Amino acid sequence: MEKIKIILYGASGHSRVVSSLIDLNAYELVGYYDDNQNLKSFNGIQVLTEYNPNINKECSIVISIGDNQIRKKLSQKISHPFLTLTSQYSIISKDVSIGKGTVVVHGAIIQANTQIGNHAIVNTKSSIDHDCVINDFVHVAPNATLCGGVSIGEGTLVGASATILPGIRIGKWCVIGAGSVVVKDIPDNTTVLGNPAKKINNEK
């Protein structure tokens, strides 16, 4: 069986995690892209500093960058096909749908009838219960808990160890602070923190 060739876009801490998901029996990591002009190699593998759609055209790409806005910008300029990566040490119900370019990290649990969008991150030991909707470019940070029926809008960061109670709707491009407990709906472009979570910025 021929291996699928992969390039990771991003050569920093998060890309170390993403590279650890690659099953070397099925995939071959060919190289990295990174905008840091001084970076020539990473983990002993070549780094290219300027994206070229004509190089390694046979490869698939995963954007291995934690920043949600940067992932969105890069996804709009990259023409290589995107690959979805899930850890063999995660638990994902059979009827879960996961979009292109999304990464599901070790120990994550995703329960029945949940939908995960494109280029999302479901990070270490996070838990997403049944019937949730996680939109594009969302980052669910380590140990975060989303109860059943939660909806998370595009680009939102759910901080480490945050808890979202059942049926809550969180808007686009929000920040849910680490350790927060969200007990009511959150509008777009809002940062909340605490237990219960309260707004700490002005809406844009």
Side-chain angles (χ1 to χ4, degrees), residues 15-158:
S15 63
R16 296 186 194 279
V17 176
V18 176
S19 65
S20 74
L21 306 179
I22 297 173
D23 179 356
L24 296 180
N25 293 316
Y27 302 111
E28 178 185 353
L29 180 56
V30 173
Y32 294 88
Y33 278 108
D34 197 279
D35 295 335
N36 181 351
Q37 298 293 320
N38 297 318
L39 192 60
K40 304 304 180 185
S41 66
F42 185 76
N43 285 345
I45 299 175
Q46 181 184 17
V47 174
L48 299 176
T49 56
E50 184 174 347
Y51 177 70
N52 186 334
N54 297 313
I55 294 177
N56 294 317
K57 296 177 69 173
E58 77 283 6
C59 293
S60 296
I61 279 184
V62 177
I63 304 174
S64 52
I65 294 173
D67 186 289
N68 297 345
Q69 292 184 351
I70 293 175
R71 286 203 311 285
K72 182 173 183 177
K73 289 178 181 178
L74 288 175
S75 73
Q76 295 168 343
K77 82 170 189 178
I78 293 172
S79 59
H80 283 71
F82 291 108
L83 182 71
T84 300
L85 282 177
T86 61
S87 169
Q88 62 178 322
Y89 303 110
S90 59
I91 300 173
I92 303 171
S93 293
K94 293 181 179 179
D95 59 352
V96 167
S97 65
I98 301 177
K100 63 184 180 181
T102 287
V103 173
V104 180
V105 181
H106 308 307
I109 300 173
I110 307 175
Q111 295 285 16
N113 200 40
T114 283
Q115 302 172 46
I116 311 287
N118 301 322
H119 304 288
I121 300 171
V122 181
N123 221 320
T124 311
K125 292 187 177 180
S126 57
S127 176
I128 301 176
D129 212 342
H130 64 88
D131 300 298
C132 290
V133 177
I134 312 301
N135 282 283
D136 299 346
F137 311 109
V138 167
H139 184 171
V140 181
N143 288 304
T145 299
L146 279 58
C147 297
V150 167
S151 174
I152 307 292
E154 176 185 291
T156 285
L157 168 63
V158 181

Side-chain angles (χ1 to χ4, degrees), residues 145-148 150 152 158 162-166 168 170 176 180-182:
T145 299
L146 279 58
C147 297
V150 167
I152 307 292
V158 181
T163 300
I164 316 296
L165 295 191
I168 295 295
I170 295 175
I176 310 303
S180 296
V181 179
V182 180

